[in-house]
Amino acid sequence: MSAKRKLFCFWGCMDALALVVYVIHSLRHGRVPFVTDVQAFFLAGDDRFFGIAPGLLFLLDATLLLSLFVSAWLFLNGSRYAPHFALGQELLRFIAFRSSVTLLPLFIGVTGLTNPWVNLPLFLIGEAVKIGSLIRVSKKTR
């Protein structure tokens, strides 16, 4: 298996794992994934001043979650568009603070490290590794 294929497999598995973790977390809290989130958002109220920013953040986070299906599929199928799609997702990841390396938040949750001075650097390092690896593999295939 080539290094590119291994990299694609890793990032595809990370996106698939992120979806699995989201679904399990929702089910453990008695919610229906996606459906309950949408219902809760619309039932939260209609405050025009405070509703715009949370509404936008909710929409961006939901877009990222749904795009994980696409990116996982692209990576696991070895699509040449996978790196470009994933790089496009990065802005959403930074806004939603959702790590590309799904194992990092799982590790943090297990260890109980809730200090932002630990979480933020791990998040930034994970995203830098993803961006760097995707740029590198994209340059090699040109």
Side-chain angles (χ1 to χ4, degrees):
M1 184 183 287
S2 71
K4 178 182 175 181
R5 185 72 189 128
K6 288 177 186 175
L7 184 70
F8 275 30
C9 185
F10 176 77
W11 291 122
C13 287
M14 287 296 104
D15 287 347
L17 181 60
L19 287 169
V20 169
V21 167
Y22 166 75
V23 168
I24 289 172
H25 180 75
S26 292
L27 294 174
R28 284 184 64 213
H29 289 90
R31 300 187 310 241
V32 178
F34 300 105
V35 175
T36 306
D37 293 341
V38 172
Q39 289 174 338
F41 173 73
F42 285 109
L43 292 175
D46 187 27
D47 187 340
R48 295 289 178 212
F49 180 73
F50 292 107
I52 294 171
L56 182 59
L57 290 174
F58 172 79
L59 180 64
L60 293 173
D61 188 53
T63 301
L64 175 61
L65 278 171
L66 293 173
S67 75
L68 291 175
F69 286 106
V70 177
S71 63
W73 184 82
L74 289 172
F75 276 122
L76 294 174
N77 286 299
S79 172
R80 65 182 176 154
Y81 301 110
H84 306 292
F85 188 84
L87 289 171
Q89 274 181 331
E90 282 302 312
L91 179 61
L92 294 174
R93 287 188 181 278
F94 277 95
I95 291 170
F97 199 67
R98 286 192 185 263
S99 180
S100 293
V101 185
T102 308
L103 297 174
L104 290 177
L106 289 175
F107 173 74
I108 289 169
V110 169
T111 61
L113 293 171
T114 57
N115 186 331
W117 298 111
V118 173
N119 297 347
L120 182 61
L122 287 176
F123 172 75
L124 294 173
I125 290 167
E127 296 314 300
V129 167
K130 182 172 188 179
I131 292 168
S133 67
L134 293 177
I135 289 172
R136 186 170 182 207
V137 76
S138 293
K139 285 183 178 180
K140 281 187 175 183
T141 57
R142 285 185 188 172

